[in-house]
Amino acid sequence: MSYPSYLKLYETGELAERAAAAWEVLRHCTICPQNCGCDRTAGKTGVCHSGTEAIVASWNIHRREEPPISGTRGAGTIFFGYCQARCTYCQNFSLSQGGLGHRVGPERLADMMLYLQKKRCHNLDLVTPTHFVPQLLAALVIACEKGLRLPLVYNCAGYENLETLKLLDGVVDIYLPDAKYADNKNALRTSKMPRYVDHNQASLREMYRQVGPLEVDDEGIARRGILIRHLVMPEDISGTREVLRWIAEELGPDTPVSLMDQYFPAWKAVNDPVLNRRLSWAEYKTALDALDEFNFTAGFVQEDLIEVDTTSDT
C-alpha cells in the first residue's frame, strides 16, 4: 500500500487547518468556479444545491475505472450527489441533477472511507467531489485519527477554482479530471459551466504541478500523478483534437489520456438535435488519429465502437 500524501499534513496539524479554512469558504461559497457566493452554512444553496452535509449516493468497490485505478482489488468509490455542472447528457443524472443519496456529516463520511479500506480497495475514488471539498477534508481528519491509509483519487469534471485546488495540494495523490471541451460556447450550452476551458486548463496545470505525470507501482497500480479523461462527443462538440493538442503541448505527450467512446444520449440529450445519437465509429477513429498525431505515449482507449463497427461512417 502506498503511503498517502495527506498523512504528513495530518501529523503536522496542517490538514485540520486546511479543513477549517475550507469550511469558512462555505460562508460565501466560492468552492467551484460558479462562485455563487451563498452562505451554505446558513442553509442557502447555489448551483450545486448543497449545504453543509455531504450527499453520498453510494460507497462500494468499483472495478470499471481505468486499470491503474481499479487494479485487481477495485477502487473504493464514493459517488457524491449533485454537481456544479448541468450536463444535459449526464449518464448519472439521478445523482448529479436529482441529488440522489444520503445526507451525511464528517463522522459518517469518515466511516465510509474506513469501510472501503477494510474491503482492501487500492484507493479512495471520490467521484464528483468538488462541491464537497470542505466536508471531505473534515472527514479526512477524522478518518486519519482512526487509521485511514488509502491514497486519494480526486475524480472530477476538471472545473475547479485554483484556491480550492491549493487546499488539496499535498492531500490528493491522484487527480482524475475531465477535459470536456475545447470551446467555451459548447461548454456553456451543454453543461452550463461558464468559461469552462479557461478554468479547466488552469486546473489541469495546477494538478500537474502538484502531482506530476502518473506513477504506478510494480503491479501497475497508480501511486501518484494525473490521468486525464476526455469523452468524445457527436459532431465534435467536445473539440477533441484541440483538447489533445493542448494537453500534449502544455503538459507533455507522456501525460496519460483516457479517450472515452461511451457517449449516448441520456437525460435531456434525447431531445437535442446534435446530441440525440450515439457516437459513430468514424468519430472515434478521428479521435484515435489525434492521439497518434500528437505522439501520446501513455493512456487508454476503449473498444466498444472498435468491436461493434469498423466500417460505418454513420
Side-chain angles (χ1 to χ4, degrees), residues 6-71:
Y6 57 78
L7 287 180
K8 296 177 183 178
L9 296 179
Y10 169 71
E11 291 164 358
T12 63
E14 186 174 344
L15 185 62
E17 293 175 3
R18 300 263 191 102
W23 202 268
E24 284 301 308
V25 179
L26 292 178
R27 299 185 186 281
H28 189 268
C29 191
T30 55
I31 290 295
C32 84
Q34 297 284 2
N35 293 323
C36 297
C38 61
D39 186 353
R40 289 170 62 182
T41 67
K44 297 179 181 179
T45 62
V47 172
C48 71
H49 297 304
S50 304
T52 55
E53 292 181 305
I55 300 171
V56 177
S58 66
W59 60 104
N60 214 329
I61 301 171
H62 189 45
R63 303 185 186 277
R64 299 194 64 185
E65 303 286 33
E66 287 77 6
I69 307 298
S70 291

Side-chain angles (χ1 to χ4, degrees), residues 168-232:
L168 297 173
D169 190 2
V171 176
V172 171
D173 299 281
I174 301 148
Y175 279 106
L176 189 58
D178 292 335
K180 289 182 179 293
Y181 303 100
D183 182 84
N184 280 328
K185 291 181 180 179
N186 285 335
L188 187 61
R189 185 181 81 83
T190 62
S191 290
K192 301 298 184 289
M193 291 189 286
R195 296 180 58 220
Y196 176 85
V197 177
D198 309 76
H199 288 290
N200 181 245
Q201 292 179 354
S203 297
L204 296 182
R205 286 193 187 97
E206 174 62 16
M207 292 173 184
Y208 189 91
R209 183 196 69 79
Q210 290 183 20
V211 297
L214 195 68
E215 301 173 11
V216 298
D217 62 18
D218 293 340
E219 297 180 352
I221 308 303
R223 298 177 57 188
R224 182 177 176 82
I226 187 171
L227 168 57
I228 301 172
R229 285 174 167 169
H230 177 74
L231 178 66
V232 185

Side-chain angles (χ1 to χ4, degrees), residues 10-267:
Y10 169 71
E11 291 164 358
T12 63
E14 186 174 344
L15 185 62
E17 293 175 3
R18 300 263 191 102
W23 202 268
E24 284 301 308
V25 179
L26 292 178
R27 299 185 186 281
H28 189 268
C29 191
T30 55
I31 290 295
C32 84
Q34 297 284 2
N35 293 323
C36 297
C38 61
D39 186 353
R40 289 170 62 182
T41 67
K44 297 179 181 179
T45 62
V47 172
C48 71
H49 297 304
S50 304
T52 55
E53 292 181 305
I55 300 171
V56 177
S58 66
W59 60 104
N60 214 329
I61 301 171
H62 189 45
R63 303 185 186 277
R64 299 194 64 185
E65 303 286 33
E66 287 77 6
I69 307 298
S70 291
T72 56
R73 300 197 302 270
T77 301
I78 301 178
F79 282 93
F80 292 96
Y82 284 131
C83 182
Q84 77 273 31
R86 287 287 178 272
C87 298
T88 58
Y89 51 88
C90 183
Q91 297 171 9
N92 293 317
F93 62 90
S94 61
L95 280 63
S96 64
Q97 314 303 324
L100 180 68
H102 306 272
R103 295 180 182 274
V104 300
E107 289 276 359
R108 181 69 180 112
L109 184 53
D111 287 343
M112 293 173 180
M113 295 176 176
L114 293 163
Y115 167 81
L116 293 168
Q117 179 167 275
K118 289 180 181 178
K119 289 288 187 179
R120 301 185 65 247
C121 296
H122 292 293
N123 49 58
L124 280 178
D125 180 19
L126 308 173
V127 182
T128 320
T130 302
H131 52 306
F132 291 130
V133 164
Q135 293 85 340
L136 285 166
L137 290 173
L140 193 59
V141 173
I142 297 168
C144 285
E145 293 171 356
K146 296 181 179 181
L148 185 70
R149 295 296 182 271
L150 288 181
L152 290 187
V153 179
Y154 191 81
N155 186 339
C156 66
Y159 188 57
E160 314 294 313
N161 262 345
L162 291 183
E163 293 77 9
T164 302
L165 286 179
K166 288 174 182 177
L167 290 171
L168 297 173
D169 190 2
V171 176
V172 171
D173 299 281
I174 301 148
Y175 279 106
L176 189 58
D178 292 335
K180 289 182 179 293
Y181 303 100
D183 182 84
N184 280 328
K185 291 181 180 179
N186 285 335
L188 187 61
R189 185 181 81 83
T190 62
S191 290
K192 301 298 184 289
M193 291 189 286
R195 296 180 58 220
Y196 176 85
V197 177
D198 309 76
H199 288 290
N200 181 245
Q201 292 179 354
S203 297
L204 296 182
R205 286 193 187 97
E206 174 62 16
M207 292 173 184
Y208 189 91
R209 183 196 69 79
Q210 290 183 20
V211 297
L214 195 68
E215 301 173 11
V216 298
D217 62 18
D218 293 340
E219 297 180 352
I221 308 303
R223 298 177 57 188
R224 182 177 176 82
I226 187 171
L227 168 57
I228 301 172
R229 285 174 167 169
H230 177 74
L231 178 66
V232 185
M233 296 175 65
E235 303 298 328
D236 198 30
I237 293 297
S238 47
T240 297
R241 184 182 179 279
E242 178 60 21
V243 168
L244 295 178
R245 183 202 62 78
W246 184 90
I247 294 171
E249 293 181 358
E250 295 292 327
L251 305 182
D254 60 336
T255 304
V257 173
S258 180
L259 197 64
M260 301 184 294
D261 71 355
Q262 73 263 34
Y263 176 85
F264 68 86
W267 201 41

